[in-house]
Amino acid sequence: MTVLILRLVTVLSALLCHVLAAPYSNPIARGTVYDPFITFSEGYYYFLSTGYDLRVTRARTLDGLKTGQTKVIFPDSGVVFETPKLHKIDGTWWLYFTAPNPDPSGNPPVTIFVLKGGPTPRDPFTYAAQLINATAASHPTILRLPNSPTPHLLFACPRILSLPSLCITPLLSPTTPGPIAILASANATWERRQTGGFFLPTSLTSPSVLANPATNQTFITYSTGNSPELSSNPITLLTHNGGNPVDERSWVKTGPYHLGAYTTSAGSDGTVCGGGMVKFFTSPDGKEVWSVYLAGEDESDKCGRGGDWHLGVKRVRFGEEGGMPEFGGTAERGEWFPGPGGE
């Protein structure tokens, strides 16, 4: 009798979890949501994007971010806080972002700054440091490798031999970078724009880190190209081979990859483009990786050229052989999908 009861409890628990699983539909947000970033911590999703002040929206579920609680964590300072990213280091949240040099005549003209927060992403933030002084820098994010205590800062850096590049530096502390190294340059054919028979340098943006939860493989992605059509800006993948993370020989470059078109569910023949400014976050249960990306708002605007954007999310799958991420596929706007595991 006891065994039967235990079995019934197990079945009912599984059914209850299935019923309570929170679905979501795209878009999660729309409008001025440039450089979107989502992370999950201690029961909440946190979302922020570029703006004149720094606002964090939180919610218990992914779909809940549409109507979540928004709080200003750093006030309007007269500059645009671009490409903001939240990262927790040694129990404290730090916010890395791109902004113009406070000195208009200073060099570099655009660089990376960091704010110090508290034990949660909604605590007030205070100015901590200008992180990179010797060179122009943008699009910061943090790289963490399994079994490595040292976080590394990744960022887009000036053109090396006329090519946009990805730089890396170990963080001696959250506000102190070490020596800067070039990790990759946009030298592949798909990373350059063809004009008049010549392949010209374009741009390198949105470096982001993802890891295969099943194999602990670490990857870096970034986008290249300066096309206003997001789907024309391919994604490059760097796969870590186990070597020194600041050595470019420790990363294997492959590409191009695309997230695919983002189509309407209303039966329209028009499509809008997806795949711009891709970031990644881990599901609450730590077993899934999800992508965050921008797409054009409607068919007339196509790929966001008019400045109307929406934020899309979808799960990233990994291949059974080799464990490589698979970015392909489409996400229907307005269609409901199962939410991340652990909600």
Side-chain angles (χ1 to χ4, degrees):
M1 185 68 176
T2 302
V3 174
L4 179 59
I5 292 175
L6 288 175
R7 287 179 178 175
L8 286 172
V9 169
T10 301
V11 171
L12 288 173
S13 297
L15 289 173
L16 183 61
C17 289
H18 178 74
V19 171
L20 295 180
Y24 78 97
S25 67
N26 285 316
I28 298 298
R30 50 165 44 97
T32 54
V33 287
Y34 307 117
D35 308 305
F37 179 83
I38 292 177
T39 190
F40 182 87
S41 176
E42 298 182 357
Y44 288 95
Y45 292 94
Y46 294 90
F47 161 68
L48 71 162
S49 61
T50 287
Y52 281 97
D53 57 18
L54 288 170
R55 305 181 179 204
V56 171
T57 299
R58 77 170 184 176
R60 290 287 189 181
T61 65
L62 190 58
D63 202 69
L65 288 174
K66 297 173 182 177
T67 57
Q69 301 170 330
T70 299
K71 181 180 180 181
V72 176
I73 58 173
F74 198 81
D76 187 340
S77 301
V79 299
V80 178
F81 297 92
E82 298 182 355
T83 67
K85 314 286 193 319
L86 284 164
H87 294 281
K88 193 174 186 179
I89 302 176
D90 296 331
T92 298
W93 284 91
W94 300 82
L95 199 152
Y96 296 86
F97 65 96
T98 305
N101 193 320
D103 180 1
S105 61
N107 187 46
V110 177
T111 189
I112 295 169
F113 299 85
V114 59
L115 306 178
K116 182 180 181 180
T120 78
R122 295 211 356 138
D123 292 318
F125 281 74
T126 57
Y127 178 82
Q130 178 177 329
L131 211 61
I132 305 296
N133 297 300
T135 181
S138 63
H139 294 272
T141 197
I142 299 297
L143 166 70
R144 291 179 176 273
L145 291 172
N147 304 318
S148 175
T150 303
H152 289 74
L153 180 73
L154 295 171
F155 59 95
C157 49
R159 293 176 175 177
I160 307 301
L161 298 178
S162 299
L163 296 174
S165 300
L166 178 67
C167 284
I168 185 171
T169 176
L171 286 179
L172 309 180
S173 77
T175 60
T176 309
I180 297 174
I182 304 296
L183 196 62
S185 294
N187 54 11
T189 301
W190 71 82
E191 296 178 317
R192 291 186 277 174
R193 173 171 48 90
Q194 186 172 5
T195 302
F198 298 93
F199 286 98
L200 302 178
T202 53
S203 63
L204 186 153
T205 62
S206 301
S208 191
V209 178
L210 71 157
N212 185 329
T215 64
N216 281 332
Q217 290 172 281
T218 301
F219 308 92
I220 297 171
T221 65
Y222 60 82
S223 297
T224 52
N226 59 2
S227 169
E229 298 186 359
L230 293 177
S231 65
S232 298
N233 295 338
I235 298 170
T236 295
L237 181 70
L238 303 178
T239 303
H240 187 232
N241 63 16
N244 185 344
V246 301
D247 187 344
E248 63 179 339
R249 293 171 297 182
S250 299
W251 301 88
V252 179
K253 177 191 287 191
T254 54
Y257 300 92
H258 298 270
L259 282 183
Y262 190 97
T263 62
T264 68
S265 59
S268 171
D269 292 334
T271 61
V272 286
C273 300
M277 300 180 182
V278 183
K279 312 293 188 301
F280 303 95
F281 66 93
T282 304
S283 61
D285 63 8
K287 299 179 180 180
E288 301 168 357
V289 174
W290 288 69
S291 64
V292 186
Y293 60 95
L294 287 185
E297 176 58 26
D298 55 40
E299 291 84 347
S300 61
D301 188 48
K302 288 295 181 183
C303 303
R305 283 169 288 184
D308 293 325
W309 303 94
H310 59 238
L311 170 65
V313 297
K314 69 175 183 179
R315 184 178 174 183
V316 177
R317 305 286 180 173
F318 293 88
E320 294 184 2
E321 295 185 7
M324 299 289 285
E326 298 175 348
F327 300 107
T330 61
E332 296 288 339
R333 184 167 58 182
E335 182 176 335
W336 290 91
F337 299 96
E343 285 194 357

